[in-house]
Amino acid sequence: MKKSFLALLGLALLVSVSGCEDLLEEDPQSVLVPSFLGTPQGVEAGLTGVYAGHRNIYGNEQAMYMAVTGTDEFMRGIADQDGFHEYARGLNFGPSAGVVTNQWNNYYQYINGANGVLKYAATVQGIPAARVQQIVAETKVLRAHYYFLLVQQWGDVPLQLEFRDTPTTDIARTPIADVYNAIIADLTDALANIANTPGQPGRVSRATALHILAKVYLTRATSTAKQADDYAKAAQYAEELINNRTRYGKNLEADPARVFADQNENGPEVLMNVQYSTDPTFTQTSEQNYFNGGNASSFFYRSRYEQGIPNMVRDLKNGRPFARFVPTPYLLNSYNMPGEAGRTLRTTDTRFNKWFTTTWYVNSPGAASGSTAAIIGDTSLWYPSYELPAAVLARIAARRPVPYRVIQPSQHTREYYPVMNKYDDVRRASTNAPSVRPFIVYRLAETYLIAAEANMYLNNMTKAVDFINTVRVRAAAPGKEAQMRITASQLNIDFILDERTRELGGEVMRWMDLTRTGKLVERVKTNPVTRVPATVNKTVPVNGISGTYGSDAAANIQPYHVLRPIPQQDIDRTGGKITQNPGY
């Protein structure tokens, strides 16, 4: 038990490096004792280790379950490994669930690593003072971010700000007011010394700190720890970033399609991302094991296309279809504008067509019971945004040399649905290999939406509308900018949540958005489970496409689900000093 408790507290750095020139060129060391942190090499290694923890949060299947599914945006797919999709009681969703325990442990492991860096950076010799200040500032931003993730999901959590190199059971939960104060103190301290722009890709900067600080104040404003000036502070820090974005080297991309363009993950809109490497000894990944430090995000959102769809086989371009995260009707329809219908649906707001894939193309004539007459590159499968008239379906069925398959909105299942493509990676090493694309955590478009929300609550409606319209107009089809602008009378928290879906859907923050706004239960209940008959449509039958679409989360969710269960292991190990959240 002593050994496992040490692991819980994260009392050894998982990764140590030689130098700090590149976060991706890490040289594992055999010296992992705490005193190594007291050397120039060690303190740099310690900071790199704290950065590395984000690889177990972003791009990691378990961590993404906790933020993506069980919301109004995404629901369970064909596999439900951890139960978080549907709030189902049992071993997969509760105090003993692996997803809860593993993520809790991840956070505290890297928090303790940050504590070690801060302790030893104060006395380390052989590093210029300016570099020490930068190390301390970056470490404080990262520690604050880990605690911010913790407090949003678990509420009162143990607040550990001192490095621990011996095991202890004398740990209890700290009121969220104190946790938020510590988060804000770290971020505020960091602003004094952190660089305006990152020294290399993947590092945090002043822009990162400003964004997180604005988001922290916005989130605290709806918590039991709220302070009277929270919205004013959220607006202040968001606007400082927006108004000085040139100073920080930041700006909105002119075209939403550029935001997630391959090899643009360090672009001007990105405020924070997580770096990956092709070196399996560094990432602990392989085709068989990519959940420890690998970026598997490209797998989770992809629907099936190689089973039940003629003339298609799995390939690198189309991706590995885990079909874990299925878009809800609400998410898909959020891009529909008033007055649009049929073929004009989703033609005003361009984000759906840029961030979702709805058409697949023949890559293997004759495969999956298809026809050898099929032509490579011809349409194989189409997800229209509306129900097609019978005449159109008949025309597709009569198409030569072969018809293509059509799956209409009423025919979506947990296997077959339009795919969010923000995390696609066609440069993976092989069809089943994980991605090495950097994972975007925060970007400037969200800063505008934070500024809009904070100003709305401050009744600064002109500013609020201007901020949200900046994001919306950026997404407008040419000549339709006026239709994308809103007025103050349209602005409320539900509209802001809808806009956050349109802009930030699938970006690993929706569960937190819904809990902080008090909308989780209400919105999850809008996605009840439905069934799809075995024959998808009478004109173009697709063998094997049938099943369930919808979520049992709507039936299972309860008010207490706004907090996650505290891991039972910690309750037991501390003799009950760490207590459980209500309902679990």
Side-chain angles (χ1 to χ4, degrees):
M1 180 175 288
K2 180 177 179 180
K3 181 178 180 181
S4 62
F5 197 62
L6 277 166
L8 164 68
L9 292 175
L11 300 178
L13 292 170
L14 288 186
V15 180
S16 295
V17 305
S18 176
C20 63
E21 292 303 313
D22 192 331
L23 287 175
L24 298 182
E25 293 180 2
E26 302 191 10
D27 179 20
Q29 302 290 313
S30 60
V31 182
L32 297 177
V33 295
S35 59
F36 178 58
L37 283 170
T39 67
Q41 181 187 32
V43 76
E44 293 283 7
L47 175 56
T48 300
V50 179
Y51 273 106
H54 283 118
R55 296 192 192 99
N56 292 316
I57 300 171
Y58 300 99
N60 175 284
E61 184 168 15
Q62 289 186 335
M64 292 180 73
Y65 282 150
M66 297 180 71
V68 175
T69 55
T71 68
D72 56 351
E73 286 184 353
F74 286 90
M75 51 196 172
R76 68 163 294 189
I78 56 176
D80 186 21
Q81 294 186 349
D82 292 283
F84 269 81
H85 300 288
E86 298 185 326
Y87 304 94
R89 273 195 179 274
L91 291 178
N92 287 329
F93 181 67
S96 298
V99 62
V100 172
T101 302
N102 292 340
Q103 290 309 305
W104 173 279
N105 289 353
N106 281 336
Y107 293 137
Y108 278 108
Q109 176 180 329
Y110 294 102
I111 284 170
N112 197 60
N115 292 341
V117 172
L118 294 174
K119 174 183 177 179
Y120 286 94
T123 58
V124 69
Q125 301 295 312
I127 302 179
R131 177 61 193 154
V132 172
Q133 287 182 333
Q134 179 68 18
I135 289 171
V136 168
E138 290 182 32
T139 303
K140 287 190 172 184
V141 171
L142 296 174
R143 182 172 70 175
H145 187 239
Y146 284 120
Y147 267 120
F148 185 39
L149 294 172
L150 273 165
V151 77
Q152 289 179 90
Q153 297 180 82
W154 282 279
D156 298 347
V157 296
L159 182 62
Q160 303 289 312
L161 300 178
E162 301 295 329
F163 180 58
R164 292 186 179 273
D165 56 5
T166 57
T168 180
T169 60
D170 188 20
I171 299 175
R173 299 174 70 180
T174 303
I176 65 169
D178 295 332
V179 179
Y180 271 113
N181 286 340
I183 292 169
I184 290 168
D186 269 355
L187 292 168
T188 305
D189 287 350
L191 289 178
N193 295 305
I194 199 164
N196 285 337
T197 58
Q200 64 186 109
R203 289 195 180 272
V204 294
S205 66
R206 184 179 175 87
T208 316
L210 288 170
H211 178 87
I212 298 175
L213 198 49
K215 192 165 184 174
V216 166
Y217 277 114
L218 187 73
T219 304
R220 190 176 73 169
T222 56
S223 76
T224 57
K226 63 185 177 183
Q227 299 294 308
D229 63 347
D230 280 344
Y231 286 124
K233 290 288 189 180
Q236 172 191 330
Y237 288 110
E239 290 178 42
E240 180 179 342
L241 173 52
I242 292 167
N243 294 337
N244 296 282
R245 57 192 182 277
T246 302
R247 169 186 171 187
Y248 303 123
K250 301 301 176 185
N251 214 338
L252 293 178
E253 296 282 0
D255 183 350
R258 285 286 302 156
V259 176
F260 293 94
D262 189 22
Q263 303 186 68
N264 192 45
E265 300 87 358
N266 299 302
E269 187 163 325
V270 177
L271 303 175
M272 178 178 173
N273 65 24
V274 182
Q275 301 286 309
Y276 294 88
S277 170
T278 57
D279 182 356
T281 62
F282 160 60
T283 60
Q284 308 171 56
T285 63
S286 66
E287 286 196 10
Q288 289 72 41
N289 175 27
Y290 40 77
F291 293 117
N292 295 321
N295 183 0
S297 58
S298 64
F299 302 161
F300 305 143
Y301 297 88
R302 300 206 72 76
S303 59
R304 305 302 288 269
Y305 63 88
E306 85 291 28
Q307 293 185 14
I309 306 299
N311 308 309
M312 295 293 297
V313 295
R314 182 184 298 185
D315 64 6
L316 186 61
K317 177 181 178 182
N318 289 294
R320 188 173 184 180
F322 268 27
R324 296 285 197 269
F325 302 161
V326 180
T328 64
Y330 159 76
L331 172 57
L332 298 177
N333 293 332
S334 68
Y335 298 94
N336 299 346
M337 291 283 289
E340 294 180 335
R343 297 181 67 178
T344 66
L345 277 174
R346 303 170 192 167
T347 58
T348 302
D349 188 330
T350 66
R351 287 173 290 193
F352 177 83
N353 291 315
K354 291 175 178 177
W355 291 341
F356 282 80
T357 299
T358 58
T359 306
W360 274 254
Y361 301 96
V362 171
N363 65 5
S364 183
S369 301
S371 170
T372 57
I375 299 172
I376 289 180
D378 202 358
T379 301
S380 174
L381 170 64
W382 178 40
Y383 292 95
S385 58
Y386 59 97
E387 301 295 310
L388 299 180
V392 174
L393 291 172
R395 192 160 57 246
I396 294 170
R399 190 172 180 270
R400 296 294 179 268
V402 296
Y404 54 84
R405 296 329 194 209
V406 175
I407 301 179
Q408 303 176 85
S410 64
Q411 300 156 347
H412 295 168
T413 73
R414 288 175 177 171
E415 290 184 84
Y416 298 93
Y417 50 83
V419 167
M420 191 193 78
N421 58 33
K422 291 179 178 179
Y423 305 125
D424 286 7
D425 185 358
V426 299
R427 295 185 297 112
R428 291 175 293 119
S430 65
T431 302
N432 293 335
S435 172
V436 293
R437 288 185 64 182
F439 188 101
I440 298 172
V441 177
Y442 295 129
R443 54 191 181 90
L444 190 61
E446 189 193 11
T447 317
Y448 279 85
L449 296 178
I450 290 170
E453 185 173 342
N455 276 290
M456 179 189 73
Y457 282 118
L458 293 169
N459 204 32
N460 297 329
M461 298 304 287
T462 299
K463 291 177 74 173
V465 168
D466 284 347
F467 284 126
I468 207 163
N469 277 341
T470 299
V471 175
R472 287 178 58 80
V473 169
R474 192 263 297 261
K480 296 188 176 182
E481 293 80 6
Q483 291 95 312
M484 288 292 286
R485 291 189 177 92
I486 66 164
T487 63
S489 64
Q490 296 171 267
L491 195 59
N492 55 41
I493 191 56
D494 282 307
F495 187 93
I496 286 176
L497 282 172
D498 293 345
E499 192 59 33
R500 288 182 69 87
T501 280
R502 287 183 283 265
E503 182 67 29
L504 305 169
E507 295 183 36
V508 196
M509 61 181 75
R510 188 61 173 185
W511 189 88
M512 292 80 148
D513 281 343
L514 295 181
T515 54
R516 74 172 175 80
T517 56
K519 295 284 187 175
L520 179 70
V521 176
E522 171 190 330
R523 285 186 167 236
V524 168
K525 283 185 175 295
T526 65
N527 293 300
V529 68
T530 59
R531 308 289 170 183
V532 177
T535 301
V536 172
N537 64 61
K538 295 180 180 179
T539 308
V540 187
V542 181
N543 296 330
I545 299 182
S546 62
T548 301
Y549 181 64
S551 176
D552 287 325
N556 294 335
I557 194 166
Q558 300 295 325
Y560 68 83
H561 288 142
V562 297
L563 291 175
R564 300 304 195 186
I566 300 292
Q568 189 63 42
Q569 66 169 23
D570 283 21
I571 295 172
D572 296 341
R573 288 169 175 171
T574 61
K577 291 187 181 74
I578 293 179
T579 57
Q580 185 55 268
N581 278 326
Y584 294 103

